[in-house]
Amino acid sequence: MPTPPTDAPDSLVAYSDVAAAAERLDGVVHQTPVMTSQTLNAKATAELFFKCENFQRTGAFKIRGGYNAVSQLSPEAKERGVITYSSGNHAQAVALAGRLLGVDATIVMPKTAPQVKLDATRDYGAEVVPYDPDETVREELGRRLAEERGLTLVPPYDHPDVVAGQGTVGDELFGQVDDLDALLVCCGGGGLLSGCALAARHHAPDCTVVGVEPAAGDDATRSFHSGELQTVKNPDTVADGARTPYLGDVTFPLVLEHVDDMVTVSDGTLVRAMHLLWERMKIVVEPTGALGAAALLGDAVPGQNRRVGVVVSGGNVDLARAGALFDEYGVV
Amino acid sequence: MPTPPTDAPDSLVAYSDVAAAAERLDGVVHQTPVMTSQTLNAKATAELFFKCENFQRTGAFKIRGGYNAVSQLSPEAKERGVITYSSGNHAQAVALAGRLLGVDATIVMPKTAPQVKLDATRDYGAEVVPYDPDETVREELGRRLAEERGLTLVPPYDHPDVVAGQGTVGDELFGQVDDLDALLVCCGGGGLLSGCALAARHHAPDCTVVGVEPAAGDDATRSFHSGELQTVKNPDTVADGARTPYLGDVTFPLVLEHVDDMVTVSDGTLVRAMHLLWERMKIVVEPTGALGAAALLGDAVPGQNRRVGVVVSGGNVDLARAGALFDEYGVV
């Protein structure tokens, strides 16, 4: 058995941080199930193991990083509270982390966000500060509020504690399934991908780690292949969780070092994969959560009868919007 | 601890039949997971344990009874083959049971059935005999084919081996969750309900077993309360799995003897419960599969902070049809 590689000395996050996060999260987050489907195996010509973070608390993996970050703040910082800006899963993650840890959470959200998301964030006890995206740059508003109120910003991906927390998804998966030949992870800002890659390097050094992006938001794929950070602006993709403009200072080096390949899938392939997960596996998966499956089912990644872990990142999608997507892409 | 009651001598099915079916099904069907949701617990004022047969092979519990029945045929009967008529989950169950046991299966299906169901049944290797429901009575066609070809009819619910197989759902659940105060089971022809009631009586004699029907197809509820078999004709309900016209000779006595109560829910309550299971629990459940949850969420059954098992019978629903139902009932 090969020796697990040691983390490079200049890495901002090491596997030991993932392991420490796993201990912190024990009993706080769900150990999500790994699901299989003979139908999908046949379609992908591979043995697939879906790590179902759509069943995670708040409906997505983000609570892992959010909780891991908030829990490590100093007592003074906890007393003052935390802030973040997000219209997506990170908002609810920080809101719930705050409630669980007794830390006031302020979430800057576009007032155009679906009412159900605004309500869910408030239900977790967070203060929602709505803003008009046409008039306000959310980062500026977030920074101003943080300064005025002494709040600590919990970024959605580019922070060592967030990356370490998200890496517990992979850490769990390798404890649940042996001998994975490959691991597919969706990629937005790279927090989940780089954290899971650290876990893979530790548990299964020979496992091929592949990041998957929507074709329209392919900044990380271009960054990976060129070695230079590339950006994308407001990419037009249904994968709303992967519309991030670029990898971060923390995540880009980790992706370069620990990820084996990056691929992209079209929105059409993505919506078809999502439909298949709903129809055949009976699980509700959001578009971004279907990126890994789409890479296999759309042939971006060959199955080759391998044992492949596929991270399903979340299941937060408006059901009517999902129906409209199936219609729009003619998937029945 | 109270002694489990012995089965009445005149029962056509006893708990020992359920236990024997469980052994037969071991390694053939999935042990489906039990899922929980704090959100749904709060809404129901109870601690809910969802037995997720939507994750079962073929997408519904029906494979349990179908396999248990086909596997016990004589070698000669197996050689000749089996037949059933169904446009729903029982069709695929018998088709798959036939394939697994090397028994030719003929399925009489309305030619108006969704193409996806016709294809799925053929994919399991069954011969599909389509008929025009305006011109042909399926029972007559089924009987004629059975006679001509020497096939054994596998009925969808009214057979001791089918009931015993469906009872393994409850048998598994009581092995997975301790101290259930109540068990809610959807009811069409009563196969699943009476089988699960047998399991409950054995494992948890004090557990209250409640059958749940759609209000428009309330024949079993009326039969239960009057003690006389009542019927219903083509009930207009979205719960297509519970449109059966009456309980059977095998199931009615079992329901009378072992079930504690029967309740009904409106289609509106049912569709809202189904939406909640999709949106909050991230699982795809067919209308009939949401009957148990609907009884709790619509107050037909009080929560009373009890530990309640809820059987989710299946997840086979056309996604576009589900979206149309959500629209029609204004659930968002």
Side-chain angles (χ1 to χ4, degrees):
Chain A
M1 188 172 148
T3 315
T6 52
D7 295 294
D10 58 342
S11 287
L12 285 166
V13 194
Y15 172 72
S16 56
D17 298 312
V18 178
E23 284 195 27
R24 239 168 255 130
L25 293 169
D26 186 31
V28 174
V29 302
H30 297 321
Q31 169 162 333
T32 52
V34 173
M35 297 188 74
T36 60
S37 160
Q38 296 188 15
T39 303
L40 271 78
N41 286 354
K43 284 185 188 289
T45 324
E47 198 174 352
L48 309 181
F49 299 90
F50 293 93
K51 177 66 173 165
C52 290
E53 286 294 294
N54 53 329
F55 295 138
Q56 188 50 266
R57 294 183 79 168
T58 73
F61 70 96
K62 290 274 187 182
I63 182 63
R64 295 173 182 266
Y67 186 94
N68 192 49
V70 176
S71 68
Q72 291 180 80
L73 296 177
S74 69
E76 296 73 26
K78 283 181 179 162
E79 181 66 30
R80 288 193 300 271
V82 295
I83 187 169
T84 198
Y85 35 82
S86 167
S87 57
N89 294 326
H90 184 60
Q92 291 176 54
V94 172
L96 176 58
R99 194 186 72 185
L100 293 171
L101 292 159
V103 175
D104 288 340
T106 303
I107 317 289
V108 176
M109 295 182 83
K111 65 180 188 185
T112 51
Q115 191 63 38
V116 62
K117 290 205 173 181
L118 293 164
D119 289 347
T121 308
R122 285 195 187 98
D123 282 352
Y124 286 123
E127 180 189 348
V128 172
V129 178
Y131 70 95
D132 182 339
D134 289 336
E135 293 182 358
T136 306
V137 177
R138 66 178 192 176
E139 286 80 359
E140 284 174 15
L141 174 59
R143 264 193 297 270
R144 185 168 59 74
L145 285 170
E147 273 179 34
E148 283 175 13
R149 304 183 182 184
L151 307 176
T152 303
L153 178 72
V154 183
Y157 57 89
D158 204 33
H159 189 287
D161 296 341
V162 173
V163 169
Q166 321 301 33
T168 62
V169 173
D171 203 48
E172 256 182 39
L173 174 61
F174 284 101
Q176 291 167 302
V177 184
D178 288 333
D179 299 326
L180 288 178
D181 299 307
L183 176 65
L184 303 192
V185 187
C186 49
C187 179
L192 179 65
L193 174 58
S194 53
C196 286
L198 282 168
R201 287 294 163 260
H202 175 81
H203 291 286
D206 295 333
C207 176
T208 303
V209 179
V210 181
V212 185
E213 279 190 311
D218 66 344
D219 57 287
T221 303
R222 288 185 285 116
S223 301
F224 176 81
H225 290 299
S226 69
E228 302 283 333
L229 189 66
Q230 310 286 316
T231 66
V232 71
K233 196 178 171 193
N234 295 330
D236 181 19
T237 169
V238 301
D240 49 337
R243 285 185 196 139
T244 37
Y246 37 73
L247 295 171
D249 294 335
V250 177
T251 57
F252 185 35
L254 288 168
V255 167
L256 276 181
E257 188 177 346
H258 298 296
V259 172
D260 295 293
D261 201 3
M262 294 279 317
V263 299
T264 64
V265 296
S266 70
D267 274 14
T269 298
L270 182 55
V271 173
R272 276 189 294 277
M274 180 176 146
H275 189 272
L276 206 61
L277 293 171
W278 288 43
E279 183 181 72
R280 297 303 181 99
M281 291 186 64
K282 317 298 179 192
I283 59 176
V284 172
V285 175
E286 62 188 84
T288 306
L291 278 166
L296 282 156
L297 298 165
D299 292 333
V301 172
Q304 297 173 323
N305 297 305
R306 292 182 295 175
R307 290 167 64 84
V308 183
V310 182
V311 175
V312 173
S313 57
N316 292 326
V317 57
D318 182 80
L319 297 179
R321 177 167 171 264
L325 285 178
F326 296 148
D327 264 1
E328 184 184 341
Y329 286 88
V331 191
V332 287
Chain B
M1 190 174 149
T3 315
T6 52
D7 294 295
D10 58 342
S11 286
L12 286 165
V13 194
Y15 173 72
S16 56
D17 298 312
V18 177
E23 284 194 26
R24 240 168 253 128
L25 292 168
D26 186 33
V28 174
V29 303
H30 297 322
Q31 169 161 334
T32 51
V34 174
M35 298 188 74
T36 60
S37 161
Q38 296 188 16
T39 303
L40 271 78
N41 286 354
K43 285 185 188 289
T45 325
E47 197 174 353
L48 307 182
F49 300 89
F50 293 94
K51 177 65 173 165
C52 290
E53 287 289 299
N54 53 330
F55 296 138
Q56 187 50 267
R57 294 183 79 170
T58 72
F61 71 96
K62 291 276 187 182
I63 182 63
R64 296 173 182 266
Y67 185 93
N68 191 49
V70 176
S71 68
Q72 291 181 79
L73 296 177
S74 68
E76 296 73 26
K78 283 182 180 161
E79 180 66 28
R80 288 193 301 270
V82 294
I83 187 169
T84 199
Y85 35 82
S86 167
S87 58
N89 294 326
H90 184 60
Q92 292 175 55
V94 173
L96 176 58
R99 193 185 74 187
L100 293 171
L101 292 159
V103 175
D104 287 341
T106 303
I107 317 288
V108 176
M109 294 182 82
K111 66 180 190 185
T112 49
Q115 191 62 40
V116 62
K117 290 204 172 181
L118 293 165
D119 289 347
T121 308
R122 284 196 187 95
D123 282 351
Y124 286 123
E127 180 189 347
V128 172
V129 178
Y131 70 96
D132 183 338
D134 290 335
E135 295 181 358
T136 306
V137 177
R138 68 179 192 175
E139 286 79 0
E140 284 173 16
L141 175 58
R143 264 193 297 269
R144 185 168 59 75
L145 285 170
E147 273 179 34
E148 282 174 14
R149 303 182 183 184
L151 308 175
T152 303
L153 178 71
V154 183
Y157 57 89
D158 204 33
H159 189 287
D161 296 342
V162 174
V163 169
Q166 319 303 31
T168 63
V169 173
D171 204 48
E172 256 182 40
L173 174 60
F174 285 101
Q176 291 168 302
V177 184
D178 288 332
D179 299 326
L180 287 179
D181 299 306
L183 176 65
L184 302 192
V185 187
C186 49
C187 180
L192 179 66
L193 174 58
S194 53
C196 287
L198 282 168
R201 286 295 162 260
H202 175 82
H203 290 288
D206 295 332
C207 176
T208 303
V209 179
V210 181
V212 186
E213 279 190 310
D218 66 344
D219 56 287
T221 304
R222 288 185 286 116
S223 301
F224 176 82
H225 290 299
S226 69
E228 302 283 331
L229 188 67
Q230 310 286 318
T231 65
V232 71
K233 196 178 171 192
N234 295 329
D236 181 19
T237 169
V238 300
D240 49 337
R243 285 186 196 137
T244 37
Y246 36 73
L247 295 171
D249 294 336
V250 177
T251 57
F252 184 35
L254 289 167
V255 167
L256 275 181
E257 187 176 347
H258 298 296
V259 172
D260 294 294
D261 201 3
M262 295 279 317
V263 299
T264 65
V265 297
S266 70
D267 274 14
T269 298
L270 182 55
V271 173
R272 278 190 292 279
M274 180 177 147
H275 189 272
L276 207 61
L277 292 170
W278 289 42
E279 183 182 73
R280 295 304 179 96
M281 290 186 65
K282 316 299 179 192
I283 59 176
V284 172
V285 175
E286 63 188 84
T288 306
L291 279 166
L296 282 157
L297 298 165
D299 292 332
V301 172
Q304 297 172 323
N305 297 305
R306 292 182 295 174
R307 290 167 63 84
V308 183
V310 182
V311 175
V312 174
S313 58
N316 292 327
V317 58
D318 182 80
L319 297 179
R321 177 166 172 265
L325 285 179
F326 296 147
D327 264 0
E328 184 184 339
Y329 286 88
V331 192
V332 287

